[in-house]
Amino acid sequence: MRSSHRDRSNTTSGFTLIEVILVLDVIVIIAGIALPNLSGSYGNAKLRSAASTIERLARYARGMAILREQHLTMVIDTEKRLIYIGAEKEKTSDESDGELDQDILTRLGYIDVEPSEIDIAIEKEVSRSLPEGLNVESVEIEEEVLGHENIFYTFQFYSNGQCDGFEIILNDRKDRSIQIYSDPVSGKVRSQFLD
């Protein structure tokens, strides 16, 4: 009588060349679909991270302005790629020697200064860097649109919990953009991706 059960010791198990090629084709197709989506997610994560940093700094500035009962300023320095919070520097009597203020002469255009030499009179309390590859496309403060050619953008947070109404649009090299905006009455800052 013949056994219907095969003798497994005589057969070799494995994959045929066609099966291996088909599996590799499926892997290549799936990778071709997934990789562009993953790279897009990385760019979105960079924008989301920058917006989240600005939102956290704004919450800090609002909270500290209320707590200290003092105005605080958020500065975006596009040349040094910094975002920082602080109060205005207080001038001591040693700084006022009766001469004209060099900062005022520079702002009026009487003195030429390289952009990197200009500084804002804010004591840096907290600072974060703006990620590489992200640019400030436009800034609107209290309905005044400022171009991307400015070096400094400043926003005030007041001791009553309010702030300047502003809207910042950040974009990356692939023209993805995120809008960061404030509610001037509540002082809250939010963000959303733009289409």
Side-chain angles (χ1 to χ4, degrees), residues 13-33:
S13 61
F15 298 106
T16 65
L17 181 61
I18 292 177
E19 291 172 331
V20 171
I21 290 174
L22 285 175
V23 169
L24 289 176
D25 285 344
V26 169
I27 290 172
V28 167
I29 290 170
I30 291 172
I33 293 170

Side-chain angles (χ1 to χ4, degrees), residues 12-13 29 70 78-79 86 89 96 102-103 109 113-114 117 122 126-127 139 142-143 155-157 167 169 178 194:
T12 58
S13 61
I29 290 170
Q70 171 188 23
T78 58
E79 186 175 74
K89 290 181 184 175
S96 176
Q102 299 298 316
D103 187 41
V113 178
E114 291 295 318
E117 296 174 16
I122 302 293
V126 178
S127 68
V139 174
E142 300 291 334
E143 299 183 14
F155 317 103
Q156 294 291 321
F157 289 85
E167 176 184 299
I169 297 179
I178 195 164
L194 298 176

Side-chain angles (χ1 to χ4, degrees), residues 138-157:
S138 70
V139 174
E140 183 179 321
I141 303 173
E142 300 291 334
E143 299 183 14
E144 178 186 349
V145 178
L146 306 173
H148 61 274
E149 65 277 352
N150 288 18
I151 296 173
F152 296 107
Y153 300 101
T154 60
F155 317 103
Q156 294 291 321
F157 289 85

Side-chain angles (χ1 to χ4, degrees), residues 20-172:
V20 171
I21 290 174
L22 285 175
V23 169
L24 289 176
D25 285 344
V26 169
I27 290 172
V28 167
I29 290 170
I30 291 172
I33 293 170
L35 285 178
N37 291 335
L38 291 176
S39 67
S41 296
Y42 176 71
N44 287 345
K46 214 176 197 185
L47 282 169
R48 171 58 58 204
S49 172
S52 184
T53 298
I54 292 172
E55 288 175 30
R56 280 193 313 273
L57 286 173
R59 276 195 305 273
Y60 173 82
R62 180 178 179 269
M64 293 310 286
I66 293 169
L67 184 67
R68 294 180 191 166
E69 296 181 354
Q70 171 188 23
H71 299 331
L72 288 178
T73 304
M74 180 166 60
V75 178
I76 298 178
D77 182 345
T78 58
E79 186 175 74
K80 294 178 184 173
R81 305 193 63 75
L82 277 178
I83 306 163
Y84 57 91
I85 302 286
E88 285 190 30
K89 290 181 184 175
E90 294 183 22
K91 290 191 175 185
T92 61
S93 59
D94 298 340
E95 293 179 20
S96 176
D97 56 1
E99 293 184 18
L100 290 173
D101 189 359
Q102 299 298 316
D103 187 41
I104 294 173
L105 291 175
T106 303
R107 287 184 199 169
L108 293 173
Y110 294 116
I111 299 174
D112 290 332
V113 178
E114 291 295 318
S116 60
E117 296 174 16
I118 297 174
D119 195 15
I120 292 194
I122 302 293
E123 290 183 33
K124 293 179 189 170
E125 243 178 73
V126 178
S127 68
R128 299 288 181 262
S129 61
L130 192 63
E132 287 295 323
L134 297 184
N135 298 311
V136 177
E137 183 178 315
S138 70
V139 174
E140 183 179 321
I141 303 173
E142 300 291 334
E143 299 183 14
E144 178 186 349
V145 178
L146 306 173
H148 61 274
E149 65 277 352
N150 288 18
I151 296 173
F152 296 107
Y153 300 101
T154 60
F155 317 103
Q156 294 291 321
F157 289 85
Y158 303 104
S159 58
N160 62 1
Q162 297 179 344
C163 70
D164 291 339
F166 64 85
E167 176 184 299
I168 306 166
I169 297 179
L170 296 176
N171 67 359
D172 63 4

